């Protein structure tokens, strides 16, 4: 299968929303706006294009992101693209492509951040992580960490459940 790893840098468009599966796994969802600005060589005018991405993260990283980041925070997100499909109550088919995060952290280009390492949890934890503290510029930012074994994926099927 082709590798679909992506990295984006942008600002949160909304506070992370954290939910829990019936199995107790944390899932955080948030939006990231990525803007690109350039000068048109013909008109000498500045032009801008903004793209919006939905990001999902799981388990301890989801909790760290939810506690550390808020709307407007500038972040660096690395993850993979995943498409999921579902059918509405009216029988309409829908699908979305989102970034399932492997790493989320504050961008330090225009801010500072203090990182606080969380204690490791019990045997079911997929790795240690670090939570964050406030950052400069009025935006909250924080690091998150934790890694998962190579064999573990963040698929909804792993939990025997449908997406929220």
């Amino acid at each position: 299968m082709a590798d679909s790893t992506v990295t984006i840098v942008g600002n949160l468009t909304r506070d992370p929303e954290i939910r829990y599966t019936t199995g107790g796994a944390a899932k955080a969802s948030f939006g990231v706006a990525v803007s690109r600005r350039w000068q048109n060589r013909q008109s000498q005018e500045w032009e801008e294009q903004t793209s919006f991405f939905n990001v999902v993260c799981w388990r301890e990283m989801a909790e760290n992101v939810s506690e550390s980041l808020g709307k407007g925070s500038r972040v660096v997100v690395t993850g993979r693209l995943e498409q999921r499909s579902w059918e509405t109550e009216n029988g309409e088919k829908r699908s979305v492509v989102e970034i399932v995060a492997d790493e989320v952290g504050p961008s330090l280009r225009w801010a500072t951040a203090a990182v606080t390492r969380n204690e490791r949890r019990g045997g079911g934890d997929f790795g240690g992580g670090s939570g964050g503290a406030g950052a400069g510029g009025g935006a909250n930012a924080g690091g998150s960490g934790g890694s998962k074994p190579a064999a573990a994926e963040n698929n909804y099927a792993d939990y025997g459940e449908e997406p929220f």
Side-chain angles (χ1 to χ4, degrees):
M1 181 169 174
D3 187 8
S4 61
T5 300
V6 296
T7 300
I8 60 170
V9 179
N11 295 71
L12 266 64
T13 60
R14 60 187 185 273
D15 289 338
E17 178 184 347
I18 191 161
R19 297 174 117 184
Y20 294 87
T21 66
T22 55
K27 175 192 172 197
S29 302
F30 55 93
V32 177
V34 178
S35 296
R36 186 172 77 93
R37 190 171 179 226
W38 69 94
Q39 189 172 26
N40 184 317
R41 293 185 184 191
Q42 294 174 349
S43 67
Q44 300 303 311
E45 298 283 326
W46 284 98
E47 297 182 18
E48 186 171 332
Q49 177 186 11
T50 304
S51 299
F52 298 91
F53 298 93
N54 290 323
V55 180
V56 173
C57 51
W58 290 93
R59 301 178 195 85
E60 188 173 272
M61 185 187 335
E63 293 173 344
N64 290 340
V65 164
S66 179
E67 291 176 23
S68 304
L69 302 174
K71 181 178 178 177
S73 298
R74 188 161 179 84
V75 294
V76 179
V77 176
T78 299
R80 66 185 182 282
L81 296 175
E82 276 194 8
Q83 180 178 4
R84 62 182 174 93
S85 302
W86 69 97
E87 195 170 305
T88 67
E89 294 175 359
N90 299 334
E92 299 171 337
K93 294 186 180 196
R94 302 282 171 94
S95 68
V96 65
V97 175
E98 50 197 9
I99 299 172
V100 177
D102 291 322
E103 296 287 340
V104 177
S107 169
L108 301 179
R109 187 170 184 178
W110 295 299
T112 60
V115 177
T116 305
R117 184 171 173 83
N118 291 341
E119 290 187 31
R120 289 186 70 118
R121 294 186 182 170
D125 186 15
F126 284 119
S130 55
N140 289 329
S144 67
S147 59
K148 57 186 184 328
E153 296 292 333
N154 289 332
N155 295 326
Y156 296 108
D158 289 346
Y159 305 104
E161 306 175 30
E162 291 299 311
F164 303 99

